[in-house]
Amino acid sequence: RPWPPGRPASPPSRHQSSTVFAPPLSAIMVVRYDSSSPTHFFLLYYGLLLSLALVPPPTTMAIRTRVTWVNGIAHNLDHMHDGRDGISSLFGGSPVEFCHNPTSMTSEDDYVGWGKDLTQAGTQKLGRITEEVDALVSHLKDAVSRVGPAGVVVHIAHSQGALITLLAARRLPPSDLSRIEVISFGGGAALRRSPETPFKRCVNYYSANDPILAIVPSAERALRSGFLGVCSGTGLPSEEPELVFLMPRANDPVADHGLLGPTYGEALEWEGRRYQRLYLPLHARAGRAAMAGTVAALGGLSESTREVLIGALGRTVVPFVMFVMEVNARVTRMTTELVRSVWVAVWMALRFVWEVLMEVLRAWRGEEEKYVPVSRPNAR
């Protein structure tokens, strides 16, 4: 049967654990290689790993970030775990913290519960503040406080989640909103930058055949007019269009509405590449790509060849990488101590030169040192 709006485009698999953020490495990228020359492949990728081991990674990113997500209707916790893992894979394995908008559905065939979800979304469209809105306000405040004054929160909202985000934004101070990038997919409300909601960045993706456009008049008018780059707060063209319309990939309004479906999935993938380029350090991206390529290559080899290569790598390359990283860490500590010692010596030398200069200056002025006896208290 067709999946209801807001439901993932394909039936989700069930995960037993809720603590895994990153997907399997083989899901990150696909590498084309010559299976007849596995030696060249492993030399290339493990050479990259060795070069990365020579440089100690920074302890923190230049810009601290959090990726958050609020869902649409008909999402239980299993759907949230699946969606979280899918988003994480597109955002370079970064942890995704979701704010669950719970469903009233007790099963996938519970149309009564689905109707209750739609009714709740309708009341939120009229401005009603629900528990889900309060939960998202707390969720975003916590995320903003964790990234600090210079950090960025990348918030993903889908379907009804955009309605909840709009109501939550009205209850957040401008100082918090200015550190939030909002990315909406098939939102029940178009999120815009304005003096009241000064998001750091705001973009709304809509599939051209998305049925939810019927309840978002501003987006529907923009689709008909073709003039997309206007910010409702200022009336001036913005640097980046806040409304982006996508060509449907499945030509099915329900499937194209899914966050990880064929249409919004491509836009989400592009946003993930943007996030990695702007906020993830280079060594993290390169190392993850190398490991992903290695896993993909191992999957294409025969069982016996794979076992031999894994055994050889486990006895040679991996210990060598660990040795290089340990030596590098010790050299770093020694360098730190050396710099500290040199700084003390330089400080003492500068102080000596300063005292000599002061003595020369006193002699040039003709000043003489005067002996001032220390007074003693009268002896009893």
Side-chain angles (χ1 to χ4, degrees):
R1 64 178 178 82
W3 288 75
R7 178 63 66 86
S10 58
S13 60
R14 296 297 189 261
H15 287 294
Q16 299 298 325
S17 174
S18 62
T19 59
V20 179
F21 289 105
L25 289 173
S26 58
I28 301 168
M29 63 177 294
V30 178
V31 179
R32 296 181 181 179
Y33 67 99
D34 183 6
S35 58
S36 63
S37 180
T39 304
H40 178 268
F41 176 84
F42 282 98
L43 285 176
L44 173 64
Y45 275 91
Y46 278 93
L48 177 58
L49 290 179
L50 289 177
S51 65
L52 293 174
L54 295 175
V55 181
T59 56
T60 57
M61 295 188 215
I63 301 177
R64 299 182 64 183
T65 61
R66 283 287 190 279
V67 180
T68 68
W69 169 45
V70 61
N71 58 285
I73 68 170
H75 275 62
N76 57 33
L77 283 177
D78 288 330
H79 299 141
M80 299 304 294
H81 297 157
D82 293 334
R84 177 196 60 190
D85 294 344
I87 296 172
S88 176
S89 68
L90 298 176
F91 281 67
S94 299
V96 177
E97 303 170 355
F98 61 77
C99 180
H100 185 208
N101 168 31
T103 178
S104 298
M105 297 177 64
T106 58
S107 67
E108 296 179 358
D109 298 323
D110 184 5
Y111 287 97
V112 175
W114 182 44
K116 291 180 179 179
D117 288 353
L118 288 177
T119 302
Q120 182 195 57
T123 61
Q124 291 171 343
K125 184 69 175 177
L126 298 175
R128 178 171 175 263
I129 303 298
T130 61
E131 295 180 358
E132 292 76 13
V133 176
D134 293 332
L136 183 59
V137 170
S138 301
H139 182 81
L140 291 177
K141 282 185 176 180
D142 179 69
V144 170
S145 65
R146 288 177 180 271
V147 299
V152 175
V153 174
V154 178
H155 178 64
I156 299 170
H158 176 235
S159 193
Q160 182 192 7
L163 276 172
I164 299 174
T165 300
L166 176 63
L167 296 175
R170 295 172 179 173
R171 307 183 67 186
L172 290 171
S175 58
D176 288 351
L177 295 176
S178 62
R179 285 179 277 168
I180 299 177
E181 292 187 4
V182 177
I183 311 171
S184 172
F185 295 89
L191 301 167
R192 311 299 291 267
R193 294 181 65 191
S194 69
E196 293 75 25
T197 55
F199 296 112
K200 179 179 178 65
R201 175 175 178 256
C202 182
V203 59
N204 300 266
Y205 289 100
Y206 285 100
S207 176
N209 66 341
D210 197 325
I212 209 166
L213 285 169
I215 63 171
V216 189
S218 61
E220 187 178 19
R221 286 195 301 269
L223 176 60
R224 294 179 182 277
S225 65
F227 190 61
L228 311 181
V230 174
C231 178
S232 60
T234 61
L236 299 175
S238 57
E239 295 181 0
E240 181 182 20
E242 294 183 348
L243 294 171
V244 179
F245 296 97
L246 307 174
M247 181 67 67
R249 292 292 184 263
N251 291 321
D252 179 358
V254 176
D256 288 320
H257 180 74
L259 177 60
L260 297 177
T263 301
Y264 291 147
E266 287 189 4
L268 188 62
E269 181 181 3
W270 184 91
E271 289 288 346
R273 290 198 300 267
R274 177 187 180 275
Y275 173 85
Q276 296 181 60
R277 184 177 68 253
L278 294 180
Y279 300 126
L280 290 188
L282 178 60
H283 72 84
R285 287 182 282 158
R288 191 170 179 82
M291 290 301 297
T294 302
V295 173
L298 288 174
L301 299 176
S302 63
E303 185 68 24
S304 59
T305 304
R306 186 162 58 248
E307 291 180 358
V308 171
L309 287 175
I310 291 176
L313 292 173
R315 294 182 178 86
T316 57
V317 176
V318 174
F320 179 70
V321 170
M322 298 299 296
F323 170 75
V324 171
M325 295 180 68
E326 178 63 24
V327 171
N328 187 51
R330 294 191 179 188
V331 170
T332 301
R333 289 194 295 268
M334 292 174 59
T335 303
T336 303
E337 294 295 333
L338 179 61
V339 169
R340 191 175 302 168
S341 301
V342 170
W343 169 248
V344 172
V346 170
W347 169 253
M348 296 295 292
L350 291 175
R351 185 171 181 178
F352 174 76
V353 171
W354 174 258
E355 291 179 355
V356 171
L357 290 175
M358 294 301 296
E359 184 67 25
V360 172
L361 183 60
R362 283 194 296 268
W364 179 69
R365 291 179 177 177
E367 299 176 356
E368 296 182 359
E369 292 186 356
K370 296 180 180 181
Y371 172 73
V372 179
V374 179
S375 61
R376 295 183 178 181
N378 296 328
R380 297 181 178 178

